[in-house]
């Protein structure tokens, strides 16, 4: 079992640690440039290339979208309850409790654990959570809809195009497939490196509260994941993908949005860092459960 789990979790930890090392030892890291590179080129190429070339039926893609919606809804209900009980600001803390790191950590986890099929299904979760985060999430934080910014998002359009390609069972020419795979191949390692660098910049001010919020993120989401797979009676790779995505920590983008809209950025930073550190212990437990 240890030999099975190690190839899944160790490459991810190594990439994150390299990002932490870079953030501490090197003079700069072009976060904005790398973020644009991933979100405008790497991630869209990964989404289209993977969903367009993997033997994935339309029903399987629709199933993962439905499962992700149910997971998000249940997590949101649990998050509201936790925020009310703990008297945490609902808009500021509720959204980070719901939106996990489905990209930086979720994609490589599902890839290494379940192969190309796991990556393809996890991309459905990633696109849905990203779309919701930057529409409804941003609207709740800013008290206004993002408008045209959403229509300009390459991730949104690539997700819609990928669904269309799966629906019509389109097969890419080898040249185009190789090009997309080459461009998409940079997305996951850059996401992990950026995650490591971002953790260096996060500062913990209230350790006790940060740990409590980090634990709440993991408990709330994992519980929602278990309830989701039970309610929908999910099996096989889809079940594993939903549980692994549910086990991911709060997304770093939560902190960036909190900082942009001035919604308790220090508390959200603590939540992101604490949940990430806690997940290094809880994700292997989820892998043991799945295996």
């Amino acid at each position: 079992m240890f030999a099975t789990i190690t190839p899944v979790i160790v490459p991810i930890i190594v990439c994150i640690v390299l990002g932490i090392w870079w953030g501490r030892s090197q003079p700069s890291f072009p976060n904005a440039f790398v973020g644009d590179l991933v979100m405008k080129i790497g991630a869209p190429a990964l989404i289209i290339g993977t969903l367009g070339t993997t033997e994935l039926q339309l029903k399987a893609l629709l199933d993962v979208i439905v499962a992700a919606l149910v997971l998000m809804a249940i997590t949101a209900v649990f998050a509201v309850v936790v925020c009310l009980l703990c008297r945490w600001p609902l808009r500021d803390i509720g959204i980070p409790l719901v939106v996990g790191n489905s990209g930086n950590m979720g994609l490589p986890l599902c890839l290494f654990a379940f192969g190309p099929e796991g990556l393809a299904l996890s991309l459905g979760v990633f696109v849905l959570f990203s779309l919701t985060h930057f529409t409804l999430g941003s609207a709740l934080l800013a008290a206004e809809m993002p408008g045209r910014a959403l229509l300009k998002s390459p991730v949104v359009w690539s997700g819609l195009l990928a669904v269309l390609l799966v629906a019509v069972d389109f097969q890419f020419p080898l040249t185009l497939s190789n090009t997309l795979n080459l461009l998409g191949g940079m997305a996951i390692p850059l996401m992990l490196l950026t995650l490591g660098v971002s953790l260096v910049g996060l500062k913990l001010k209230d350790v006790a509260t940060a740990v409590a919020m980090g634990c709440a993120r993991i408990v709330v989401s994992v519980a929602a994941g278990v309830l989701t797979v039970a309610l929908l009676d999910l099996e096989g790779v889809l079940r594993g993908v939903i549980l692994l995505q549910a086990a991911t920590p709060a997304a770093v983008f939560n902190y960036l949005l909190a900082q942009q809209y001035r919604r308790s950025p220090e508390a959200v930073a603590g939540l992101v860092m604490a949940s990430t550190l806690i997940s290094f212990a809880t994700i292997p437990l989820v892998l043991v459960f799945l295996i």
Side-chain angles (χ1 to χ4, degrees), residues 83 86-97 141 199 201-217 250-259 262-276:
C83 285
C86 298
R87 297 184 179 179
W88 294 334
L90 184 56
R91 282 199 298 179
D92 299 7
I93 306 303
I95 294 173
L97 290 180
L141 291 173
L199 290 176
L202 300 181
K203 304 299 182 184
L204 286 176
K205 289 192 174 181
D206 186 343
V207 176
T209 301
V211 171
M213 289 180 175
C215 290
R217 159 60 202 173
V252 176
F253 273 115
N254 286 302
Y255 169 67
L256 300 179
L257 290 178
Q259 199 172 38
R262 298 179 181 178
R263 290 287 180 180
S264 306
E266 295 84 4
V268 175
L271 192 164
V272 171
M273 177 175 285
S275 64
T276 302

Side-chain angles (χ1 to χ4, degrees), residues 145-217:
M145 290 301 292
R148 295 181 180 179
L150 176 65
L151 299 178
K152 296 179 180 179
S153 171
V155 171
V156 173
W157 288 108
S158 62
L160 295 175
L161 177 58
V163 172
L164 177 62
L165 292 173
V166 173
V168 300
D169 195 21
F170 179 79
Q171 297 296 319
F172 284 123
L174 183 59
T175 301
L176 180 57
S177 175
N178 287 343
T179 303
L180 290 171
N181 289 336
L182 185 63
L183 292 172
M186 68 178 172
I188 289 177
L190 283 179
M191 283 179 175
L192 291 172
L193 289 171
T194 305
L195 174 58
V197 173
S198 299
L199 290 176
V200 175
L202 300 181
K203 304 299 182 184
L204 286 176
K205 289 192 174 181
D206 186 343
V207 176
T209 301
V211 171
M213 289 180 175
C215 290
R217 159 60 202 173

Side-chain angles (χ1 to χ4, degrees), residues 51-275:
L51 294 179
T53 57
T54 303
E55 293 293 332
L56 187 67
Q57 300 297 319
L58 179 60
K59 181 181 182 304
L61 186 58
L62 294 178
D63 285 345
V64 74
I65 292 175
V66 170
L69 282 171
V70 173
L71 172 64
M72 187 183 302
I74 295 175
T75 308
V77 172
F78 286 171
V80 170
V81 173
V82 169
C83 285
L84 292 177
L85 290 176
C86 298
R87 297 184 179 179
W88 294 334
L90 184 56
R91 282 199 298 179
D92 299 7
I93 306 303
I95 294 173
L97 290 180
V98 174
V99 182
N101 208 334
S102 59
N104 298 56
M105 290 190 69
L107 295 183
L109 275 172
C110 294
L111 171 62
F112 296 145
F114 304 113
E117 183 183 358
L119 175 61
L121 292 176
S122 67
L123 283 168
V125 179
F126 168 62
V127 171
L128 180 66
F129 269 76
S130 297
L131 177 62
T132 306
H133 196 193
F134 289 106
T135 53
L136 182 59
S138 296
L140 290 173
L141 291 173
E144 62 181 7
M145 290 301 292
R148 295 181 180 179
L150 176 65
L151 299 178
K152 296 179 180 179
S153 171
V155 171
V156 173
W157 288 108
S158 62
L160 295 175
L161 177 58
V163 172
L164 177 62
L165 292 173
V166 173
V168 300
D169 195 21
F170 179 79
Q171 297 296 319
F172 284 123
L174 183 59
T175 301
L176 180 57
S177 175
N178 287 343
T179 303
L180 290 171
N181 289 336
L182 185 63
L183 292 172
M186 68 178 172
I188 289 177
L190 283 179
M191 283 179 175
L192 291 172
L193 289 171
T194 305
L195 174 58
V197 173
S198 299
L199 290 176
V200 175
L202 300 181
K203 304 299 182 184
L204 286 176
K205 289 192 174 181
D206 186 343
V207 176
T209 301
V211 171
M213 289 180 175
C215 290
R217 159 60 202 173
I218 300 299
V219 171
V220 160
S221 189
V222 170
V226 172
L227 187 55
T228 298
V229 299
L231 288 175
L232 300 180
D233 195 23
L234 302 182
E235 297 179 350
V237 175
L238 178 55
R239 173 177 176 271
V241 165
I242 293 300
L243 289 176
L244 271 183
Q245 287 283 18
T248 58
V252 176
F253 273 115
N254 286 302
Y255 169 67
L256 300 179
L257 290 178
Q259 199 172 38
Q260 178 180 347
Y261 296 118
R262 298 179 181 178
R263 290 287 180 180
S264 306
E266 295 84 4
V268 175
L271 192 164
V272 171
M273 177 175 285
S275 64

